Amino acid sequence: MSYGIYIGRNLTADGHAWLAGYGDEPSSHWLEIIDRAEHGPEATITVGVGPDSDMPGHRTEIPQAPQTARHMRVSYSYYLGVPAPITNGGLNEHGVAVRDIWSTSCQALIDMTPKHQTGPNYSDLARIVVERARTAREGVEIMAQLIAEHGYSCYGGNSHIIADPDEAWVVIQFSGGKGLWVAERLGADDIRASRPGYIGVVPTEPDETFLYPPHFISTAVDLGWYDPDAGLPFDVNAIYGDGKGPWKGMAWVEAEMRKRAEAAPITFTDVCWAIQTERLTGDTAGYGQVVPLVHPSHSDLRMMWHAPVGPVTAPLVPVFLGQTEVPEEFGQHRYLTTGEAHRFLDCRKEATNPDTVSHVPQGVEVSDSAVYQFKRLMHLAFQDDGLLKETWDHWRLMETRLAEDLPRVLRSAELLLEAGEPELARRVLTRESAAWLAEGLEDCRALVASGHARLRMRDALNRNGKPMAPEQYW
């Protein structure tokens, strides 16, 4: 289902906007940094969903862009049969960040969806935007063009937040096979949470705040869902969506962040809290991301704060676009990776059935899995309020110290870039981020060992089959 929140720059202590969120999927997650690439005139990419997806369709080939941007993203292996690897977005070298968030269409549109739907799916759209867009507005236009030319493959409706340092857009794509989408601009004074993605009343003609295709209003008229002569506003959520308006959790976190903004400018800690609080974040949150929306002096200095599982019990740690690699512990492992249950790190059956060979390199699989270790810590902490508080305090202190150290690391890399030493700058960024990630993982192991021993000794480990977790709004 996923969750995202945007904070406009006029409301923040740092003077820049923020985009934060997480993905809500049960499968494995891993961090990737993808380099800029050149593609020939005949290059294509495969998009869409297959016949085995929950809402089936046909995979098709569409043209690739001549150049794709360097970017970082979190990938995962399963959601409703959408072909892997899947992504909810990330951050590119131009400063465009994307978050994918579920947004259901009304049942009538879902029922209209062709059984042989074609065109990019939600993950394709997110990936293509971070590969191609130079601004958030261009990201909206790329999505619109792709849907108009190739269609849209859905699992019931979806949305994205696309943001850059100057503005952000909420974009909702609808089921039905009719090429329906709508986008709302967010600015410097806005706070917007999405879960699900939500847009309410729009004008009956596009403007600088609301964009949609030419047939967006007329389709509702033709279906008998809207009467332009009745004098009623065009409520997107009521007509094409679930009709529920903003959900309770969305309203709660927006109100809380607005209250903080009225008391004092919103800080980095406030932004992190919005995706860390146990009222919103638990086992369903597959990872966490916080992106400062800035324009540094060099694209290698762009960064995001990353947590390998839901950050209620994991630290957010800086990862830089200029890094040359991601530590293997934070890469793809077999743990929770869809399809790995019938594969082996063994090639003897490869000739007759290639799918019996694991997709994870043997050298990577022998490293520890950060996702596995942090999941262990999460479920220990959820069984004991004292351990949950101890874990929370430990990671929040770590984040505070990292935030204090971060400017010096960025300045060191900046000086090297200004001196014409990009390889040395990337070495600094890679080593610092890797060291921070390793420190967090080492502390995680210690907290796991301590927490497990204490719960075991008190005979407090939950073995009744009903998981324990804090109460959440969703």
Side-chain angles (χ1 to χ4, degrees), residues 166-193:
D166 299 314
E167 64 180 8
W169 291 81
V170 176
V171 190
I172 300 179
Q173 306 91 22
F174 297 93
S175 298
K178 298 182 177 297
L180 296 173
W181 60 270
V182 62
E184 178 183 359
R185 182 182 180 275
L186 307 177
D189 296 304
D190 286 317
I191 296 174
R192 172 65 64 86

Side-chain angles (χ1 to χ4, degrees), residues 28-337:
S28 58
H29 292 76
W30 61 95
L31 179 64
E32 295 184 294
I33 299 176
I34 313 298
D35 206 356
R36 183 187 306 142
E38 305 290 335
H39 306 280
E42 304 302 320
T44 62
I45 54 175
T46 306
V47 299
V49 298
D52 297 328
S53 298
D54 285 28
M55 291 184 68
H58 284 307
R59 302 274 278 166
T60 57
E61 299 291 318
I62 68 171
Q64 175 61 289
Q67 184 182 79
T68 49
R70 184 176 178 86
H71 64 280
M72 50 186 168
R73 67 194 189 207
V74 172
S75 295
Y76 56 103
S77 62
Y78 182 81
Y79 190 69
L80 298 180
V82 175
I86 314 169
T87 184
N88 285 339
L91 173 68
N92 74 13
E93 62 181 283
H94 307 298
V96 178
V98 182
R99 289 240 46 84
D100 167 88
I101 300 108
W102 169 80
S103 180
T104 187
S105 300
C106 65
Q107 190 60 48
L109 282 176
I110 293 173
D111 293 341
M112 291 178 194
T113 303
K115 303 302 181 185
H116 303 292
Q117 59 180 332
T118 59
N121 62 50
Y122 74 94
S123 170
D124 296 324
L125 292 175
R127 186 190 69 254
I128 290 170
V129 168
V130 293
E131 287 179 341
R132 303 181 186 183
R134 294 176 176 270
T135 66
R137 174 66 177 260
E138 186 181 15
V140 178
E141 294 167 351
I142 287 170
M143 284 189 177
Q145 182 178 3
L146 289 169
I147 293 171
E149 294 181 1
H150 305 289
Y152 170 60
S153 295
C154 76
Y155 63 90
N158 201 68
S159 77
H160 297 83
I161 300 178
I162 311 174
D164 64 27
D166 299 314
E167 64 180 8
W169 291 81
V170 176
V171 190
I172 300 179
Q173 306 91 22
F174 297 93
S175 298
K178 298 182 177 297
L180 296 173
W181 60 270
V182 62
E184 178 183 359
R185 182 182 180 275
L186 307 177
D189 296 304
D190 286 317
I191 296 174
R192 172 65 64 86
S194 281
R195 184 184 166 104
Y198 171 82
I199 293 177
V201 173
V202 302
T204 53
E205 293 290 339
D207 58 22
E208 285 303 304
T209 302
F210 295 97
L211 302 174
Y212 48 77
H215 63 290
F216 187 73
I217 305 292
S218 62
T219 296
V221 174
D222 294 342
L223 291 169
W225 298 350
Y226 178 69
D227 181 359
D229 299 322
L232 297 174
F234 193 95
D235 187 326
V236 174
N237 180 256
I239 295 170
Y240 287 142
D242 63 10
K244 296 180 180 180
W247 284 20
K248 184 178 180 181
M250 291 169 52
W252 175 77
V253 72
E254 283 185 4
E256 177 61 31
M257 296 303 284
R258 182 65 67 178
K259 182 169 62 176
R260 294 184 181 210
E262 291 171 354
I266 290 175
T267 65
F268 163 69
T269 300
D270 293 325
V271 177
C272 294
W273 173 88
I275 66 166
Q276 290 167 335
T277 170
E278 70 276 8
R279 301 307 304 273
L280 304 178
T281 304
D283 184 57
T284 64
Y287 60 94
Q289 285 180 2
V290 174
V291 180
L293 296 164
V294 297
H295 279 315
S297 60
H298 193 282
S299 63
D300 277 1
L301 303 178
R302 297 194 186 282
M303 53 82 63
M304 68 181 181
W305 295 76
H306 169 73
V309 302
V312 60
T313 54
L316 289 156
V317 176
V319 180
F320 304 101
L321 191 58
Q323 285 180 225
T324 56
E325 60 186 22
V326 171
E328 291 178 344
E329 292 84 352
F330 292 80
Q332 184 181 14
H333 285 70
R334 302 183 75 193
Y335 173 68
L336 293 181
T337 294

